Every structure is written in structure tokens, then in C-alpha cells.
Amino acid sequence: ARTGDPEVVFGAGKTPAQTVTLLRRLHELHPQRAVLATRCGTDTTTLAARELSGAAIDEVGGTIAVGPLPTPRGRVAVVVAGTSDLPVARECVTTVEVYGAMADLIVDVGVAGLHRLLARRERIEQADAVVVIAGMDGALPSVVGGLVRVPVVAVPTSVGYGAAFGGVAALLTMLNACAPGVSVVNIDNGYGGAVVAARIARQTAPLTAR
Amino acid sequence: ARTGDPEVVFGAGKTPAQTVTLLRRLHELHPQRAVLATRCGTDTTTLAARELSGAAIDEVGGTIAVGPLPTPRGRVAVVVAGTSDLPVARECVTTVEVYGAMADLIVDVGVAGLHRLLARRERIEQADAVVVIAGMDGALPSVVGGLVRVPVVAVPTSVGYGAAFGGVAALLTMLNACAPGVSVVNIDNGYGGAVVAARIARQTAPLTAR
Amino acid sequence: ARTGDPEVVFGAGKTPAQTVTLLRRLHELHPQRAVLATRCGTDTTTLAARELSGAAIDEVGGTIAVGPLPTPRGRVAVVVAGTSDLPVARECVTTVEVYGAMADLIVDVGVAGLHRLLARRERIEQADAVVVIAGMDGALPSVVGGLVRVPVVAVPTSVGYGAAFGGVAALLTMLNACAPGVSVVNIDNGYGGAVVAARIARQTAPLTAR
Amino acid sequence: ARTGDPEVVFGAGKTPAQTVTLLRRLHELHPQRAVLATRCGTDTTTLAARELSGAAIDEVGGTIAVGPLPTPRGRVAVVVAGTSDLPVARECVTTVEVYGAMADLIVDVGVAGLHRLLARRERIEQADAVVVIAGMDGALPSVVGGLVRVPVVAVPTSVGYGAAFGGVAALLTMLNACAPGVSVVNIDNGYGGAVVAARIARQTAPLTAR
Amino acid sequence: ARTGDPEVVFGAGKTPAQTVTLLRRLHELHPQRAVLATRCGTDTTTLAARELSGAAIDEVGGTIAVGPLPTPRGRVAVVVAGTSDLPVARECVTTVEVYGAMADLIVDVGVAGLHRLLARRERIEQADAVVVIAGMDGALPSVVGGLVRVPVVAVPTSVGYGAAFGGVAALLTMLNACAPGVSVVNIDNGYGGAVVAARIARQTAPLTAR
Amino acid sequence: ARTGDPEVVFGAGKTPAQTVTLLRRLHELHPQRAVLATRCGTDTTTLAARELSGAAIDEVGGTIAVGPLPTPRGRVAVVVAGTSDLPVARECVTTVEVYGAMADLIVDVGVAGLHRLLARRERIEQADAVVVIAGMDGALPSVVGGLVRVPVVAVPTSVGYGAAFGGVAALLTMLNACAPGVSVVNIDNGYGGAVVAARIARQTAPLTAR
Amino acid sequence: ARTGDPEVVFGAGKTPAQTVTLLRRLHELHPQRAVLATRCGTDTTTLAARELSGAAIDEVGGTIAVGPLPTPRGRVAVVVAGTSDLPVARECVTTVEVYGAMADLIVDVGVAGLHRLLARRERIEQADAVVVIAGMDGALPSVVGGLVRVPVVAVPTSVGYGAAFGGVAALLTMLNACAPGVSVVNIDNGYGGAVVAARIARQTAPLTAR
Amino acid sequence: ARTGDPEVVFGAGKTPAQTVTLLRRLHELHPQRAVLATRCGTDTTTLAARELSGAAIDEVGGTIAVGPLPTPRGRVAVVVAGTSDLPVARECVTTVEVYGAMADLIVDVGVAGLHRLLARRERIEQADAVVVIAGMDGALPSVVGGLVRVPVVAVPTSVGYGAAFGGVAALLTMLNACAPGVSVVNIDNGYGGAVVAARIARQTAPLTAR
Ligand SMILES: Nc1ncnc2c1ncn2[C@@H]1O[C@H](COP(=O)(O)O)[C@@H](O)[C@H]1O
Ligand SMILES: Nc1ncnc2c1ncn2[C@@H]1O[C@H](COP(=O)(O)O)[C@@H](O)[C@H]1O
Ligand SMILES: Nc1ncnc2c1ncn2[C@@H]1O[C@H](COP(=O)(O)O)[C@@H](O)[C@H]1O
Ligand SMILES: Nc1ncnc2c1ncn2[C@@H]1O[C@H](COP(=O)(O)O)[C@@H](O)[C@H]1O
Ligand SMILES: [Mg+2]
Ligand SMILES: [Mg+2]
Ligand SMILES: [Mg+2]
Ligand SMILES: [Mg+2]
Ligand SMILES: [Mg+2]
Ligand SMILES: [Mg+2]
Ligand SMILES: [Mg+2]
Ligand SMILES: [Mg+2]
């Protein structure tokens, strides 16, 4: 059934106290389903660790989840070019789970070392939707898009310097991906990529039914 | 089952003869499933009308389809801001059908006349995926994204002038859509939006099964 | 009558002492009408609280007003997409009042949750001019412009990240608003939007006279 | 009373026949109030001259108005930097009149010849709203904004070459106008500037009442 | 030995007569070594075919070479993403040969169909330098750069539309290529890529000597 | 006579010790003519005040001059829009003097308050060259260029926010100045504007000789 | 003495008849001093050749001068990188002469063939002002600025393709010229560069007097 | 022989401990060949100095090399415009050596002082490949490219301010270099320029063999 989306707090630009208070209040309103905060700095995760017992905290991804995760439906592969893209990837994984799908994180498969990507090909093909996260040249979604038939959501990251222009180079690459079936979300928007992919995964018929 | 994608010819930069020849050859190779050409000018559609008997030709959308459409699975709503966006919308509709889903075209529901959009709300909510096509301010996907729970694929168009910058303004609006669940393809890429949405619709479980 | 505009100090790039001294001097020159400082940091508002007795200080909006407000003529609705836009909105409200009009602040009515906006529709329609403040996709003025007949002044904010480009995405959206009757001021320029709207409101004939 | 806005056809991208047919149909629906088409090429104005008897046609401004103009309320000064900006200025003047205000066109008062502008100062000060139209450096609204107290709507034009970037230079100048009370519409958007200014002029109390 | 570079005429912006006359004069001055014209339209190639007996003319690449090619030293692989990139690729191949190296043209190996690229891997690895030519996402050099150890010169092309921005997207991708050993020349500059690669190939020691 | 230019140290990116040491060494090499450092922070000016006896230090302009100024030839008017542009203006004045011309600083004459500018018109007309310094809209050089007949060098500043883009808006305005006789240097480059203007002033014939 | 500037018609966007009529009228008003039209296409120059007896017409530069040139004062060197920059250079030369200085045109001295430039060094050093015209990399003013002590006015041209961005690359190079004493005018603005340089040359004291 | 490339750690975004640990582990795996870390801050170089005995540390270039350098093959000239470009230049020199070629560093030969460059001409001509590093106008590669016949790799740096746009101006200059044989890497990418040049140098036949 189309259950409602979870409540999500955007932690950037809020004080630790504001975020933690918001999470507690939302959790009280929705005790049966995890609520989420993203873009939390260490000040906020530290406060949450102290004050929100049972919270699932990811310092690298900057996320705090409070309350039970929904039973997952469908599977999202989160395919990541390099280790520097990990914060975005972890935000993505947590969001996928809070939105009710299973997440399979596959890291360090950038296109400059093709064998590492090809070695994970089968695992990626088992997903109902794929999120591809890459910075610098942002070339990975073009390659993955040529390997799979399920929708690919590309997330450009701000990793890089100079003519990477804070993720613009990767964003443009992805918008021009020569493989069809690729759509794109905002730079560093692991959350947005996850929402799209989790919705796809949740509504996908099981393989046996297709 | 994961059937293969159809063959598609990119008509831009090809002579009418080249495109028609390619379509004929591909149709002979794949007689059981429609092959498609996009971005065809009137020279090409005119030649196709004469030489490819039974071709389904759309002058406005610039598409030519040869061969039987697959039995559709799932439904894609194609929601369009203004009549100037129609060429992109028609490319999108034809592609959705060639890729094996049902397309429901809903035109002239730009955000400046909200009542027209709200009047189609129920019809849009019946889709398994929504493609939203808009130029100028590109505001429509943000509004539609707040109304539905299925994935929204936004297609910016080059309609507009001055600070529309050939579709860049609409593209940026869509990448920053404040509703989650929206992803974006290239400017005027009705084809790309359709491929993503059709894949989602095809793999979606029927409403009864969800 | 066309009374002169109030004196305004641009606090950015001035030391707290400079701003407070300027305000005191201007207030002595114009004791009968409020003088204003905008873009004041907490150092400056703290100093002002101590040294300028009777000053009206808004920490969130970064404004300091000294002296009596003029009797308001006309009404400006200040319509705000999200709570992150509040600093710009508060600068706007204070400036409207110092420029001699009434301000009605309506917050958290972004286009992704249309029902919240539509619920305030009547209240917005009572204004003589509307300022619409939004960041990220900047879509709100296009929607509001389709609902009202009075001039709409759009203020893009730098709220957002990645392809929001510090407010450029919202600025472009607003310049391309598909509803007519919308004009735009600089990014984060709540002051500028207020001056335009207050001038319109002050010179507008009362509803009974139109 | 707040009567509805006139019907307006956007002629760009329509065939002459489409525009003329639309105008005729709209005029039949609204015989008591002028309907307008903008951005009409000479093909369209020629056809309109032949087929729409009594139409008011402006070849330079690319406009066609059919039906009686409303009785004007309030006055809009349309202040224009150079003769190359005339097409935008004429679109603006016609639109002001169709929207129900009086238009006073003042041409060739660019900032490089300040005496010409200052010689028209009194005439400009009699307006209820001012539209300032300029290309290249777009400096004129900053100067006019320092001379008048009514709202100034700035329209950048694409006049210029090289680093004028098709009107972007003028647009940025105007967004940064150092005089307060200036707001901006899209490049070459004489129509949009007119709608804002006419709405202000129409709702402005007569001078005697202020 | 470091022999001088060949004489090259830049045909763009020259009349057919000017280009043909220049080529004839240069050939008379340097009868022992081919002289080259690039960026020639069909008017120019047609005139050259008539007037310059023995000229090697490539209509697709827009090149005209007059005089004997030097004996080649070293080998350059010219790896091309799609058939639309062929004009740039042919300009590149001819230039490599006129500059004195052997060219091996490998077309239609874009990253969306990885198997086609991997099937040519050995052939590419035999080169002393690789030129990679791609438009749209420009992702190919990142992948090729991860496969070979010789210098890779990347040539972005203007193939694409919308956010391809006339080759800018591909250019940025290539400047950010995550494989080291990749350098870049201007958009559509098949000539420039060839000069760099041919110089490398000519000065490379034979495999037996390394 | 064409005497050599003075030695100038660019203080940005140098430690205080490096700058002071360089100045001392250059002063010993050129004791008869002032040497200059620009873009010095307060750390550097403080150290210089202690260690370089007789140095002429300007904290606001960030300059340090050591040694006797040359006898001035000719006069440069330095015309400045607002007080926020003062750091650039002071760098300019000092550089003019070190390069051997007289500088006349005229501040706070932005185009939004035209009377202040016109009140200084005669003084400006006495100069052999004019440097105009302005941020935000950068409109001042267009106006000044229409008032004087000597060369105008425009210096855009990074003063402003939002669509000022760190001085880009002002730079474009100036490149498109509709008054002829205006040329432009880099953003915030008071030094560069001064070198051009001082060279002009020095080589200009005295008024009596023209 | 400071004689007034000549009258100049901007031919772009005017019909041949309009330009020729304007020139005739201006010549009648100012028979003792040449009047000028720039940016004239061949239609206009052809009409002028027929109708304006005694006009000095330059087809390459697109200029028409009517009436006697003023006696020249001072000398301007017009230094040009390549032959493709010639239209801009010729507009510059004619304007210098109409503005009353002597012009010395030096072509084909781009920085890639340094010996050609160095061979003209003495000739360039005899000028009172130097205009440097270059497209593509725009590197020439940086080099010339290091060779001479008189003011250098740099004119970027739109010659080039791809990342030349219609002259933007050359413009940026020139704004960042590492030699001081260089100022810049708009892309392709040979007229503007000439006005600045001619003014400098006219007011410069003769060498014997310096 | 084509030995494998060395292992390289990208120090940016890693903690000192992470970088030092990675270097130690890689050195243990490859004791016979130097491993390298780039973009290390002083925290990291300080820790490395204490913990990695025998490491070759360059604070200015931000590099740490551990293990024996390979015997160099071929020579790379590293030609640098100004002393502010030194950090990029030193990263380049170290990388050339770790990649197995000889590096010859030539500093402070910017195009504004041509004699200094020409005085090193012979030394530069002895190299098998040239890396040219420059910021601001980025003009140096155009000049060097006109002097030598071996491949030139241009590295733009972020040195400069205002319209230098963090290295974009220099990047564009280099992509448009009017001398052929120049290719470009990312802004500040001394590492990337070195990898390309070292590969060329290593595979180049000795002068005696050419
Ligand atoms: N309108 C379109 N926009 C973008 N890509 C397209 C479009 N139509 C077709 N394509 C892609 O172009 C490929 C065929 O290109 P070609 O071989 O040049 O005909 C197909 O596989 C599609 O992925
Ligand atoms: N927040 C603001 N944004 C833009 N301009 C402002 C703002 N606040 C004040 N100003 C302008 O700054 C002027 C005063 O500047 P100053 O003399 O530097 O304090 C006022 O006349 C206003 O026009
Ligand atoms: N010159 C113009 N610039 C921008 N928008 C315009 C212009 N002229 C008409 N419009 C808008 O276009 C709408 C009609 O578009 P259409 O239905 O395509 O004719 C009108 O309601 C106007 O708001
Ligand atoms: N300064 C640099 N600029 C760009 N890429 C670099 C730089 N230094 C190292 N790299 C690349 O970064 C890779 C290692 O990244 P990491 O695994 O994050 O340490 C190496 O294989 C190099 O290709
Ligand atoms: Mg990648
Ligand atoms: Mg819309
Ligand atoms: Mg909004
Ligand atoms: Mg103007
Ligand atoms: Mg590719
Ligand atoms: Mg100004
Ligand atoms: Mg040059
Ligand atoms: Mg340089």
C-alpha cells in the first residue's frame, strides 16, 4: 500500500538543539515509523547520541534516524565511484532504508578501474533501482546505464577541484549520459536520489511476478 | 520479464535517406517489435510517409515508429505546462509507447493557472510514473511532486527567451525542486524522460498487488 | 503626500560602533521618523540594545530601527516559502514598516505543499502589493502571480545548495515566471523588495475608492 | 474596480494564421475590451492588417490589438535609453494601454548624455510608475531610480554585442541598481514590464487624493 | 631528426579561392612534403578537387592535403565514441598522417556499450599515443585512460544538445578525468589533438628499444 | 623623459616578513625613488610601521610606500561611487603618486545621487585622466564618460552581494559603457587602473600646450 | 585644444538607407570634419559608394567616413595578432584617423611566432598609445605590455571556436594581463579601443617636450 | 619496459594519520619503488617527518615520497610563470621524478618579461616534454608552444583575483593557445601535468636515436 513518506528534518542551518528537539517531537507523533534528520554536523550527532536513546546515528553520512525502520520492499543498489563520495553515499543508504527499501552499498568502482566495476556487475543487476554516486568527471552513470535495464538515478558530488566547479562538471556529464534510462538529482543530494530510488523499488513487482 | 529495449535512431544530423534506410533495416531485423526514430524534420517524416508503409509518424514530435507496439504494462502520465512544449511532449508519448507502457498526455496545466492542474489531479494520481515537461520557469515539477507519491521525471524545455537561457533556467529549477521524488533529464529530452518513466511503469506491480 | 524616504544604514562591512554611531546621528537629525539599519550581525544588535534605548531590534532579520514608525498606509503581504528564508523575510517586514506600509507575514507556504498556500489565499488577496520570498527552486512567485491581480515583487534567496548556485536558480525562475505581473529584485534583497512594495502600497487608493 | 486582465496571445512560435485566428476568436469572446498579440513578425502583422479590420497594428513593436482600449487610469512613463531599444519600448507602450493605463514614451535619454534625461525630469516625475528600458550597460534605471519616488520597473534589452551577452550585462546592472525602488523583469520583456507598471498605475490614488 | 612541421591552412573564414590559392603556393614552396588545409566546406573541397590535381580530399573531415605524406614514425590510435563525432575524427586522422605518424581509427566505442570498447582493447594498446574523441558526456577518455599507459589526448566535440552546451560538458568531464595521463585540447579540435599525439608518436622509441 | 616604472610588491600570499624584507631590499637598490607594496594586511602594515622607518603606510588601501615620491607630472581624478569602494580607491591614489602623477580623490558620487556628482564636475574636468571606481551596478563610468573628454579607466569592485557576483556585474556594465572613451581593468584592481592613468597623465602635454 | 568628438553612426541594426541618410545629414551639419559610420554591411557600403561622393569606404572594416580628416596629432600603433582579426583592426584604424590621430597598422604578430613581433618592436615603441587586437588566447597584450611604457588598450576579438566562447576567453586573458598598463574594451570593439587610444595620442606631449 | 605506475595517495580530505598510514602500507607493499602522497597540508608533512623515516618531504609542494626513486628516463622541463605558481610547480617536479623522469625546474619566466624566458630557451629545448605552469592570463604556454617542437602540457593555476575566476581565465587561454602542440590539464593539477609529461619523456627515444 502507498503508505505516507517518513518525516525528514533538514539539519543544515539548524542548531543541534533545534534538530534534536524536532526529531524528538516527530518521533513522539510517529512512534511506529522512523523519522530522519540529514546534513547533521558532529555537534548535532553528538547531542543526539546523548539525548535520543536508540537513535541510529551515522557520523560520516550526517544522518540521525529515530524509531523502527519499515520492513523493506525491493532493493536499491548504491554504486559509488570513490571513497571521497562516501558521505553522500551514506546519506543515500540511510534514506533508502528509512523510506522502506533495502540498500546495497558498492564502493570504489570508478571508471578508471573498470575491472572493479565489472566484478560487481551481477550484484548490481539484482537491484530494482540503481543510484550511482560520483564526483570529478561523473562518468560512472554512463557506464552503469549501459549495463543495467532498471532505472538509474545519478547523484553528482562536489568532490574534485578546479574545473570540477563544485560538482557542476559531474552534473553536466550525468545530464548528457549517453546511456538512456539515467535521470539526475542535485549535487550532493544523496537524500533526493534515495527517495526516487526507494519509491521505484517499493512499487516494483517481485522478480517472480515480472 | 526483462525484454530488451527497442532500437532507436537519433534522427538529428542524419539525412532523410539515412534515417529511413536505418529504420527499414532495423525493422527487418526486429519485425516483431516497433523501432523508433526521434528528432526527425519534415523532410524525413515526408520521405518516411512515402517509403515506410505502416509507419506511425508524428510531425509535431518528430518521431517515426515502424512495427507493432508492445502490449503496454503500467501507465505513465505526461504532464505538460504549455502548448509550446508540445513537440517535446509528443516525442515523450511516442517513446513511452514504443518502450512498452501506456501514456496519458495532459497539456496546458502550467502553474500560473493552478485550477487547471488541480482539476486533473486524480487522473495524474493513477499513473505509475509521471513525466513533467515545462519551459520558462520550469516550476511545474515542484508542484506536481507535492501532489503525487510515484517517481516524477522532470524534462526542462528550451521554450522561453532572455534569461530562460535555452532551458537552463527550467533545468536549474527542476534540479532544486523542493518536493522530493523528482529527478531530471537533459533539456528537451522527451525521449530520455520517457525511457526512465516507461521502465518504472513496466516494472511496477499492479495496484492490486501493492 | 510624497514624504521623503527614511534614512537607511547598510550595516554589512561596518563595525558595530560605526553602525550604532550612524544610527544615533541620523535619529537626532530625523527624530520624528524611524531610521533603519539592515544587515547587522549580533555584535551590532547587542551593542545597539545597550546603547540605543527604545530601538526596535530584530536579530533574525538583522535590523535595527530607531524612532517612531510612520502611520502605515496600504498593506503588503510578505509570502515566504520556507522557514530558512526567514532572515530575508524579517528584513523585508521591518523595511515595509519603516517605509510606511503595513506588513502581513505569511510563512511556510512553499509550492510542494500547495494546500497551505491555498488556505491563505484570501488573506493574500487583501494586500495592495505582494512580496514573495523563496529559495531553492524559486517557484512560489509563479504560483502566487497566478492567484492575485496586484503587483508581485519576487525576492530570490540564497537558501539551497549545489545547483541552487547561491540563489541564481531561484533568480532565473522568477525572471521567467509564467504569470505576468511579477518583477524581481536581487538575491536576498528583502530590503529592496520591501521598498518597491511599500511604495506601491502607500500610493494605492483605498479599496473603497477603486 | 479590479476588472480582469485582457487576453494576450504570445505570437512567437505561432504561424500567422494561428495568431490571427486566436485573436479573432478572443475578440468575439471579449468584444468590449481589446485583446492583444505580442511578438508578431511582419508576416503576421500583414495578415492581420488584411483580415482583422480595425486592428491597431505596430510593426516595430510587433503588436496587434483588436477591440476598444479601456479608459485609462493612471500614467506610466516609458523611459528608453536608445533608439535600438524601440521595439521593446513599443511593445511596452501598447501593453500599458491595453492593460488600461496611459503611456508616456520618452526616448533617447541614455546616461551618456545626461542633459537629455534631466531635461525630461519633470515629465517623468508626473508618472505613477516608470518603466525604464535599456540595453548595453543597462545603467539608466540606476539614474532614474535616484530621481523619482514611484516604483521603477527596469527592462533590460538584448541590444549590444560581445560582453553584453544578449542582455545579461544589462540585466545584472539592473538587479544591482544602487537606487532602491527598482525591480526587474526578463530581457526584452516589454510586455512584462508594462503589466507590472499598468497594474501599479491603475491602482494608484489620484495625486489630489494622496 | 626534428624535421619542421608541415604548413597548415585554417580554412574557416576563407573563401574557396583563397584556400586553394594558399595551398597551391605552399605546395610549390614545399613540394617534398604534404601541406594541409582544415575546416574546408564543400565549396572549397569541390574547387580543390577541380583545381589541385592529386590532392587528397576528405569531405567529412573537411581536409585537403597536397603533396606526398612523410614516411610515418610511430602509431596513434584515434578512438571515437559515436558516428556523429566522425568529422572531428577524420580531421584528426588526416592531420596525424600529414604530421608524420600512422593513424588507426577506431569508431563507435562509446562507454554505454562497453563490450565494443573492450573488444578493441589490444589494438588500442599497440599505439604510442591515443587520441580519444567524444561528445555529450565525454566519458570515454576516463575509461580509456584507465586501460592504457601511453599518453591520452582527449578531444571534446560539440555533439549533443541542451546541457551539452556545445561541447562544454564533454570538455569539463575530460579535464576532470579520474584516470591520470589524460590531457585535453579545445572543443572539436581534432587538428590540435593530432599534432600533440603525432609529436609523441614520432619521438617514441620503437617497442623493441623500450 | 620615459623613466622606468617603480618597483611594486604584490603583498597578497606573502608573509609579513617576506613583504617587508622585499621592500627593504628594493629600497636599498632604488633609494632615489619610492618602492611600493599593495594588498598588505594589517599584520604586514604593523610590521612595516615598526621596521621600515619613514614608510608611508595606508591601512585602508593596504599599501606601503618606501622612499621619496617622484615629482608629479599631470593630474589623475579618482572618482569613487561609494565609501565601501574606498580600499580600492586608496590603493589607486597611492599607486598614482608612486607612479609620478598627482591624484585627486573624489568619493561618494554614485549615480543614485546625481547632484553630488554634478557638483564635482568642474574638478573632474581638470584632470588629464580619470579613474572611476564603482561596485554593485558599476554604472558610474558610463555617466562620467559622458561628461569628460579625457580617457576614463573604469575599475569594477567586488562590493555588493547576490547577482553582483563578486564584481562581475560591475565589470560587464563597464565593458558595455555606452559612453566611448572608457576602458576597463580587472575587478578590485585599483593598482592597474592607476598605472594606466598615471602613464597617460605623465605623458600629457600641459593644458597651455594643447 | 579640446575639439569636440566627431559624429559617429552605429550601422548595425539600421537599413542601408537609414545609415546613408544619417551620414549625409551629419555631413551637412559638420562639413569641416569627417563623420563616421561603423559596422556597415556590404549593402550599406555599396549604397554609400553610389550616393555619398567622396566617402572613404572600407569594406573589410565596415566603415564609411565622409568629410575631411582632421590634421593628426600623435601616433597610435594598432598591433594585430592574426589576419582573421583584420575587420576589427580596420575599424580601429579608421576610427583613430577620424578621431584625429595617426594610425600605424602592424598585422600578423601573434605570440606563437615571437620573432615577427620582436622585429617590429622599435616601430611599436614610437607610438604614443598602442591598441593590441587579438582573438583565441588573447595573449598578445600581455607580451606587448611587457615591451612598451605607453598605455596599451587591448581589444579582444571573437575569432576562434569552442572554448574561445565568442571572445570571452580573450577578454579574460586581457583583464588578467600580467603586465601592468593594459586596459580593455568590449569584444570586437575596434571603435572603442580607437577612441581611447586617439584621445591619449592627441593629448600626449611631443617626444621632444617630454 | 612499461613498468606499472607508482601508487599515489590523494592527501586532500584525508586526516594526517590516514595519509601516513596509507603511505606506510603502500611502501611495505612496494618497497622497491617510491610511493607518493600529494596535496598534504603541514599537519600531514609534520607527522610524516616524524613517523616515516627517509621520506622525501616538500612542504611547499605538499608532497611526501617514500622509497627509492626510479632511475630516470628522459627529461621534462617544468617552466613556471611566477613564484606564486611554485606550489603547483613543486608538486609537478616531485611527481615527474616519482614517475621516473628527470625534472628541470625553470621559474619566473612570465611573458611580461620576455627576455628572462628567451634567456632559458636552449635549456627548455633540451627537454623531451615541457610542462608550462601559469596563472592569471595563462599566456605562457602560447609563447613556449611557439618556441619548441616537443609536446607542451599546460597547467593553469588559480593564482590571481577577480576575473581570473580561480584559474578559469588561464584555463581558457591555454585551451585556445594559438600555438599547436599544446594540451591542457585541470586547474592546479601539477600532478596530472607531470604524469602526462613523464610518460612522454620515458617513452621518448634518446636524441641520438631520433
Ligand atoms: N531524442 C533523443 N535524445 C537523446 N538521445 C536519443 C534520442 N533519440 C535517440 N537517442 C539515442 O541515440 C541512440 C542512437 O543513436 P544513433 O546511432 O546516432 O542513431 C539510441 O540508442 C538512443 O539511446
Ligand atoms: N539590506 C540592504 N540591501 C541593499 N541596500 C541597502 C540595504 N540596506 C540599506 N541599503 C542602502 O544602503 C544605503 C545606505 O548605505 P550606507 O550609507 O553605506 O549605510 C541606503 O540608502 C539604502 O539604499
Ligand atoms: N511578449 C511576451 N513576453 C512574455 N510573455 C508573454 C508575452 N506576450 C504574452 N505573454 C504571455 O503568454 C500568455 C499566452 O501564451 P499563449 O497561450 O502561448 O499565446 C499570456 O497569458 C501572457 O501572459
Ligand atoms: N594532486 C592530485 N590531483 C589529482 N589527482 C590526484 C592527485 N594526487 C593523486 N591523485 C589521484 O588520486 C588517486 C588516489 O586517490 P585516493 O585513493 O583517494 O588516495 C591516485 O591514483 C591518483 O590518480
Ligand atoms: Mg566516475
Ligand atoms: Mg511551469
Ligand atoms: Mg518555492
Ligand atoms: Mg543606459
Ligand atoms: Mg562517451
Ligand atoms: Mg555606481
Ligand atoms: Mg594572441
Ligand atoms: Mg603568464
Side-chain angles (χ1 to χ4, degrees), chain G:
Chain G
R2 264 194 215 176
T3 66
D5 281 342
E7 297 291 328
V8 184
V9 176
F10 185 64
K14 297 205 171 64
T15 65
Q18 285 176 318
T19 298
V20 166
T21 305
L22 266 169
L23 277 174
R24 187 182 293 121
R25 195 175 318 153
L26 289 170
H27 176 51
E28 283 163 14
L29 282 169
H30 308 279
Q32 79 299 344
R33 169 126 195 223
V35 297
L36 175 67
T38 64
R39 306 228 157 201
C40 302
T42 40
D43 282 8
T44 302
T45 52
T46 304
L47 187 71
R50 219 171 46 222
E51 304 229 334
L52 298 172
S53 74
I57 294 175
D58 181 342
E59 291 240 340
V60 172
T63 56
I64 306 168
V66 188
L69 290 181
T71 313
R73 293 192 49 177
R75 171 196 294 265
V76 174
V78 179
V79 178
V80 187
T83 53
S84 312
D85 303 312
L86 215 51
V88 178
R90 296 273 275 262
E91 180 187 274
C92 186
V93 163
T94 302
T95 304
V96 164
E97 291 170 351
V98 170
Y99 268 73
M102 210 176 319
D104 181 14
L105 181 63
I106 299 171
V107 187
D108 208 14
V109 290
V111 301
L114 220 50
H115 52 286
R116 284 199 300 272
L117 175 66
L118 296 176
R120 271 79 167 188
R121 187 175 174 166
E122 259 180 69
R123 204 169 129 198
I124 299 172
E125 281 176 332
Q126 259 141 31
D128 299 306
V130 181
V131 179
V132 182
I133 299 175
M136 296 177 68
D137 58 21
L140 192 54
S142 298
V143 173
V144 172
L147 298 179
V148 302
R149 285 283 158 74
V150 292
V152 172
V153 187
V155 184
T157 74
S158 55
V159 168
Y161 62 87
F165 295 131
V168 171
L171 171 63
L172 295 186
T173 310
M174 292 170 180
L175 286 168
N176 289 288
C178 47
V182 177
S183 63
V184 188
V185 296
N186 194 8
I187 297 164
D188 288 335
N189 193 2
Y191 164 75
V195 173
V196 174
R199 287 187 177 175
I200 297 171
R202 282 184 60 75
Q203 74 184 42
T204 295
L207 258 179
T208 51
R210 282 182 248 172

Side-chain angles (χ1 to χ4, degrees), chain C residues 126-149:
Chain C
Q126 259 142 30
D128 299 305
V130 182
V131 180
V132 183
I133 300 174
M136 296 177 67
D137 58 21
L140 191 55
S142 297
V143 174
V144 172
L147 299 178
V148 301
R149 284 284 156 73

Side-chain angles (χ1 to χ4, degrees), chain B residues 105-127:
Chain B
L105 180 64
I106 299 171
V107 186
D108 208 14
V109 291
V111 300
L114 220 50
H115 51 287
R116 285 200 299 272
L117 175 66
L118 296 176
R120 271 79 168 189
R121 186 171 175 170
E122 258 180 71
R123 205 168 127 198
I124 298 172
E125 280 175 332
Q126 258 141 34

Side-chain angles (χ1 to χ4, degrees), chain A:
Chain A
R2 266 195 213 173
T3 65
D5 282 341
E7 297 291 328
V8 183
V9 176
F10 184 64
K14 296 205 171 65
T15 63
Q18 285 176 318
T19 297
V20 166
T21 304
L22 267 169
L23 278 174
R24 187 181 293 119
R25 196 175 318 152
L26 290 169
H27 177 51
E28 284 161 13
L29 282 169
H30 307 278
Q32 81 298 344
R33 171 131 193 218
V35 296
L36 175 68
T38 63
R39 305 225 158 203
C40 302
T42 40
D43 280 10
T44 303
T45 52
T46 305
L47 186 71
R50 220 171 45 223
E51 305 230 334
L52 298 171
S53 74
I57 294 175
D58 181 343
E59 292 239 338
V60 171
T63 56
I64 306 167
V66 188
L69 289 180
T71 314
R73 293 192 46 179
R75 169 195 296 262
V76 174
V78 179
V79 177
V80 188
T83 52
S84 312
D85 304 311
L86 215 53
V88 178
R90 296 272 275 262
E91 180 187 274
C92 185
V93 164
T94 302
T95 305
V96 163
E97 292 170 350
V98 169
Y99 267 73
M102 210 176 320
D104 182 14
L105 181 63
I106 300 171
V107 187
D108 207 13
V109 289
V111 301
L114 220 50
H115 52 286
R116 284 198 301 271
L117 175 66
L118 296 176
R120 271 79 167 189
R121 187 175 176 166
E122 259 180 70
R123 205 168 127 198
I124 298 172
E125 281 175 332
Q126 259 141 33
D128 300 305
V130 181
V131 180
V132 182
I133 299 175
M136 296 178 67
D137 59 21
L140 191 56
S142 297
V143 173
V144 173
L147 299 178
V148 301
R149 285 284 156 76
V150 293
V152 172
V153 187
V155 184
T157 73
S158 54
V159 168
Y161 60 87
F165 295 132
V168 170
L171 171 64
L172 295 185
T173 309
M174 292 170 180
L175 286 168
N176 288 288
C178 47
V182 176
S183 63
V184 187
V185 296
N186 195 8
I187 298 164
D188 287 336
N189 193 2
Y191 164 75
V195 173
V196 174
R199 287 187 178 177
I200 296 172
R202 283 184 59 76
Q203 73 184 43
T204 294
L207 257 179
T208 52
R210 281 182 247 172

